[in-house]
Each structure stands twice: as C-alpha cells, then as structure tokens.
C-alpha cells in the first residue's frame, strides 16, 4: 500500500473538470496534480514537465513496452498517458496525487490501482453540456461532434465511480470535491 492517496477527477469533455481542479488545488496544499506524457506538440506557453511531458512517438512506444503507464489513450491522433513512475514515486513519498483525466482513462486507473478514488463530474443535464460544447466556439465542429457522440456513453459509466458531483454551480461543485478529498 502506498502512503499517499490517488484521486481522479473525470467526466465528459466540456463539463468543467479543468476549472474545478484549478480552483481545488490552492485549497488542498498537500495535493499535487499529475503530469501526463503526450506525443502532441506543445501549445504556446506550455512547458515540458509542467503541463505535459512532451515526448516522441518512439519514446511513448518504449514506455508502453516497458509497462510505464497507469493508462494511456489516443485523442485526436496523439497519444496521452499517465506515467506510472511519476505517480507511484510521489504516492510512496506520502504525497496525494490528483489526475484530471477522461472517463475511460480513469476507469483504467481503477483497474490498475483499485485504491484510487474516482470522482465523476456530471453536467446539470446532457442537453446543457451539448449546448455548452456547441457554444464555446473553441473547436472545429468535427471535434465537437466527436465529443457529443461520446457523451451519452460516458454518462452511463458514472456508476462505476466512487463519487458523483454535479457541476451546476462552480463554487458548490468545488466545495463538494474538496469535501470528498478531505474526507478520504
Ligand atoms: P489536450 O491536448 O487538449 O491537452 O488534451 C486532449 C485530451 O487528452 C483531453 O481530453 C485530456 O483530458 C486528455 N488527456 C490528457 N492527459 C491524459 C492522460 O494522461 N491520459 C488520458 N487517457 N487522457 C489524457
């Protein structure tokens, strides 16, 4: 058993999990955000080792062969994975680690780490999330349609999670996640 606790905040794309995590971290000084590895190019302002570990496809494949990921997946033709060593080193040091991760990734983490605490962030309604995705205007229509297509399936997976939090009001949702983390 590791000394720290592993948490995963997950939910459908556009549900606001990134914003919840951003607000949660300053309220939980002992909680550290995991840094994933990816083969995608850094965006302007992104730093290696802070936002992601930016690695090549060869390096990613080598890590897969060496069983170096707690889970990994492909999004929009790029690979993303949670490095086992990064997470386990910190858990063994007694640090608590938070993953902000997609729905399938979180379930794979639970398979590999049954003691992980999974928190599912729900939209107030699926219709509301569809509306948000269509109106946030940050992505190509093709990507939005891909995300909407995944939505119904993802919401059905919420029963496999330890906790569900509805993100209707942001501060209320942050307070609910904080209560779960402190309780655990
Ligand atoms: P972006 O390229 O916009 O930073 O992320 C694209 C997608 O990859 C997002 O849905 C994000 O949640 C997902 N992602 C980021 N890191 C990981 C990871 O370690 N594992 C998995 N499965 N997905 C990830």
């Amino acid at each position: 058993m590791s000394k720290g606790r592993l948490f995963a905040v997950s939910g459908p794309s556009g549900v606001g999990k990134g914003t919840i995590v951003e607000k949660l971290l300053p309220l939980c000084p002992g909680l550290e955000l995991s840094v994933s590895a990816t083969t995608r190019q850094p965006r302007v302002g992104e730093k290696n080792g802070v936002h992601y570990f930016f690695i090549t496809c060869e390096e990613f494949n080598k890590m897969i062969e060496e069983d170096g990921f707690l889970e990994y997946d492909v999004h929009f033709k790029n690979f993303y994975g949670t490095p086992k060593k990064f997470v386990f080193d910190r858990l063994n040091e007694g640090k608590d680690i938070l993953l902000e991760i997609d729905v399938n990734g979180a379930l794979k983490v639970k398979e590999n780490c049954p003691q992980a605490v999974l928190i599912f962030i729900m939209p107030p309604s699926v219709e509301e999330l569809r509306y948000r995705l269509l109106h946030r205007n940050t992505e190509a229509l093709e990507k939005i349609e891909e995300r909407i297509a995944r939505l119904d399936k993802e919401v059905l997976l919420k029963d496999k999670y330890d906790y569900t939090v509805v993100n209707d009001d942001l501060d209320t949702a942050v307070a609910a996640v904080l209560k779960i983390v402190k309780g655990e």
Side-chain angles (χ1 to χ4, degrees):
M1 280 296 279
S2 56
K3 292 186 230 149
R5 300 293 327 250
L6 180 59
F7 297 92
V9 168
S10 184
S13 174
V15 77
K17 51 188 186 287
T19 316
I20 291 176
V21 165
E22 210 176 285
K23 289 207 150 209
L24 178 76
L25 286 171
L27 304 173
C28 292
L31 191 63
E32 194 181 330
L33 190 62
S34 164
V35 180
S36 297
T38 182
T39 59
R40 88 149 157 75
Q41 292 299 308
R43 295 185 188 127
V44 176
E46 283 184 335
K47 289 200 181 82
N48 189 34
V50 178
H51 298 92
Y52 283 104
F53 294 108
F54 295 100
I55 63 177
T56 63
C57 287
E58 289 72 28
E59 287 167 327
F60 203 98
N61 281 328
K62 191 159 177 275
M63 279 183 75
I64 295 175
E65 278 165 23
E66 291 170 353
D67 193 25
F69 289 114
L70 258 182
E71 62 73 42
Y72 65 90
D73 213 339
V74 185
H75 299 282
F76 315 116
K77 299 189 182 131
N78 292 307
F79 283 93
Y80 295 80
T82 308
K84 252 187 199 171
K85 188 168 160 34
F86 181 96
V87 172
F88 286 169
D89 281 356
R90 282 159 180 76
L91 290 176
N92 287 330
E93 284 167 18
K95 290 187 180 134
D96 299 321
I97 292 288
L98 180 68
L99 309 175
E100 184 215 319
I101 199 172
D102 68 312
V103 174
N104 287 324
L107 293 175
K108 284 188 224 160
V109 168
K110 188 82 169 173
E111 275 172 32
N112 285 324
C113 258
Q115 72 275 26
V117 178
L118 304 192
I119 305 167
F120 192 95
I121 309 296
M122 277 284 285
S125 72
V126 171
E127 289 68 35
E128 161 84 23
L129 185 51
R130 276 203 184 94
Y131 180 87
R132 277 193 216 167
L133 282 173
L134 284 168
H135 289 81
R136 73 179 181 183
N137 273 341
T138 54
E139 277 154 298
L141 198 59
E142 183 195 333
K143 279 192 187 173
I144 295 173
E145 277 165 4
E146 205 176 309
R147 285 171 198 249
I148 289 175
R150 278 211 311 255
L151 199 61
D152 292 322
K153 277 193 216 145
E154 287 179 335
V155 168
L156 287 177
L157 294 172
K158 75 173 194 314
D159 294 343
K160 296 183 188 276
Y161 280 62
D162 300 293
Y163 298 94
T164 300
V165 169
V166 179
N167 187 16
D168 194 353
D169 170 71
L170 179 62
D171 290 334
T172 310
V174 172
V177 177
L178 181 64
K179 195 171 167 207
I180 293 167
V181 171
K182 293 206 161 162
E184 290 282 345

